[in-house]
Amino acid sequence: MQHEHPPIDWKDILNPKNIILNLIGVSFMTLALKGFMIPNKFLDGGVTGISILLHEVTHISFAWLVIIINLPFLFLGKKLLGNTFALHSLVTVLLLALGVTFVHFEAVTSDPLLIALFGGCLIGIGMGFCIRGGSAADGFEILAVLTTKKIGLNVSEVIFAMNTLLFLAAAWYFGITTALYSIVTYFAAIKSLDYVANGLEQYTALNIISGNSELIKSLIVNKFKKGITIVKGERGYLPKSFDVKHDCDIIVTIVTRLELLRIKEDILKIDPYAFMYIQYIKEANGGILRNRKKH
């Protein structure tokens, strides 16, 4: 029996917050493309970069290219992520094409380093706002999810491999200098996208092993109002005393970037020798994640 995705959620599509976020995202991307990247033949990664490259080679309108090249990725998105996401993304791509076509202004600068940094940051910020609004303005991520299932690499590795081929093509056509600056643009874009899409409050798993675990548990729960999970383990096994071991509680808590430094500082006041390690996580739901005061 063929699996069918739920019908389009029009409330989500027409949600004013999502519409505003997508419009802000498209505005940032239009500024990046028209003010920095396209006039100076700089590439970002993904479909945007392919569209700029083909625009320079064939002189076909960038707007038409970004629509046409994104269509197969949007079809994949429909299969993988549902009808609502695909329609949201189609609207975003069409808005970007309209923005690039009808918004006209001169290039902001011709300095290659400024183009790479500011062009990359602006397009990354724009993509981040679009993701927060429930859409995607570039189809490479969708293709990466599908490819990952076939060859076993993670999504970032697949995206990097595909963009490497794009930058090699840019080096051949535009020259090595422009290609290298385009790589800077790409990395500026993905870092900006990460901060906007995930925010400063991206969740982090903090793992603590300490001889003063009871005090640290109380600190995290009572002072910082965070939930904890206790994993039973053993510590010891040092090179000169391998046979010495002790039962211990491994404390696991989920915190945000903004909370992490304060919690670590307070833990070290209790136990300067506490062993801590951090794992960055993409998503967390349920439990006690945020403590917001109700007004």
Side-chain angles (χ1 to χ4, degrees):
M1 188 176 189
Q2 188 175 1
H3 174 72
E4 293 185 2
H5 286 288
I8 294 171
D9 184 351
W10 288 104
K11 287 185 179 179
D12 187 58
I13 296 290
L14 300 175
N15 185 318
K17 177 184 175 183
N18 292 338
I19 293 172
I20 291 170
L21 287 171
N22 278 298
L23 287 174
I24 292 172
V26 169
S27 299
F28 272 104
M29 293 181 69
T30 301
L31 174 59
L33 291 167
K34 296 286 285 188
F36 291 91
M37 294 168 64
I38 293 177
N40 296 287
K41 302 179 182 178
F42 271 53
L43 276 65
D44 178 34
V47 171
T48 306
I50 294 173
S51 301
I52 295 173
L53 181 62
L54 291 178
H55 168 68
E56 293 299 327
V57 173
T58 65
H59 303 293
I60 298 173
S61 165
F62 171 84
W64 281 111
L65 287 169
V66 81
I67 293 172
I68 292 168
I69 298 172
N70 263 308
L71 284 177
F73 298 117
L74 293 175
F75 179 76
L76 285 176
K78 179 179 182 296
K79 296 292 185 183
L80 292 170
L81 300 169
N83 298 317
T84 302
F85 169 81
L87 181 58
H88 238 146
S89 299
L90 176 61
V91 172
T92 299
V93 170
L94 292 175
L95 287 173
L96 178 63
L98 289 172
V100 172
T101 302
F102 294 107
V103 176
H104 299 287
F105 46 80
E106 297 297 321
V108 175
T109 179
S110 60
D111 183 281
L113 185 58
L114 292 178
I115 296 165
L117 293 176
F118 282 92
C121 286
L122 288 170
I123 204 163
I125 290 169
M127 288 182 173
F129 274 111
C130 290
I131 289 172
R132 279 187 171 266
S135 70
D138 193 293
F140 254 37
E141 287 81 0
I142 301 168
L143 178 62
V145 170
L146 183 65
T147 308
T148 297
K149 297 179 180 180
K150 301 293 184 183
I151 63 177
L153 297 175
N154 64 41
V155 173
S156 61
E157 289 169 336
V158 175
I159 293 173
F160 183 76
M162 290 189 291
N163 282 323
T164 297
L165 297 176
L166 174 61
F167 292 129
L168 287 174
W172 175 74
Y173 192 79
F174 295 136
I176 188 66
T177 301
T178 300
L180 291 174
Y181 275 119
S182 294
I183 294 172
V184 175
T185 306
Y186 167 68
F187 279 105
I190 59 174
K191 292 303 293 183
S192 301
L193 187 156
D194 176 60
Y195 274 102
V196 175
N198 298 311
L200 288 173
E201 294 192 344
Q202 181 179 11
Y203 292 118
T204 302
L206 176 62
N207 301 264
I208 309 124
I209 302 172
S210 168
N212 294 319
S213 59
E214 294 303 320
L215 290 175
I216 293 173
K217 291 176 195 175
S218 177
L219 169 78
I220 294 171
V221 174
N222 295 319
K223 179 177 179 179
F224 291 98
K225 310 300 181 186
K226 310 299 294 184
I228 61 174
T229 299
I230 305 302
V231 180
K232 298 297 182 180
E234 292 181 343
R235 61 192 183 98
Y237 301 103
L238 298 175
K240 293 183 180 180
S241 55
F242 181 78
D243 295 330
V244 177
K245 59 184 179 180
H246 306 281
D247 292 338
C248 70
D249 290 340
I250 303 170
I251 305 166
V252 182
T253 186
I254 305 298
V255 299
T256 67
R257 290 176 179 175
L258 295 177
E259 296 166 325
L260 181 60
L261 181 60
R262 291 167 48 226
I263 292 177
K264 284 172 62 180
E265 286 177 346
D266 281 9
I267 289 171
L268 291 174
K269 289 177 184 176
I270 294 173
D271 181 3
Y273 301 101
F275 176 69
M276 292 179 278
Y277 62 96
I278 296 163
Q279 296 167 299
Y280 294 105
I281 55 180
K282 290 291 183 183
E283 185 175 350
N285 294 293
I288 304 173
L289 289 177
R290 292 182 183 176
N291 300 288
R292 293 178 177 174
K293 295 179 181 179
K294 295 182 179 180
H295 298 282

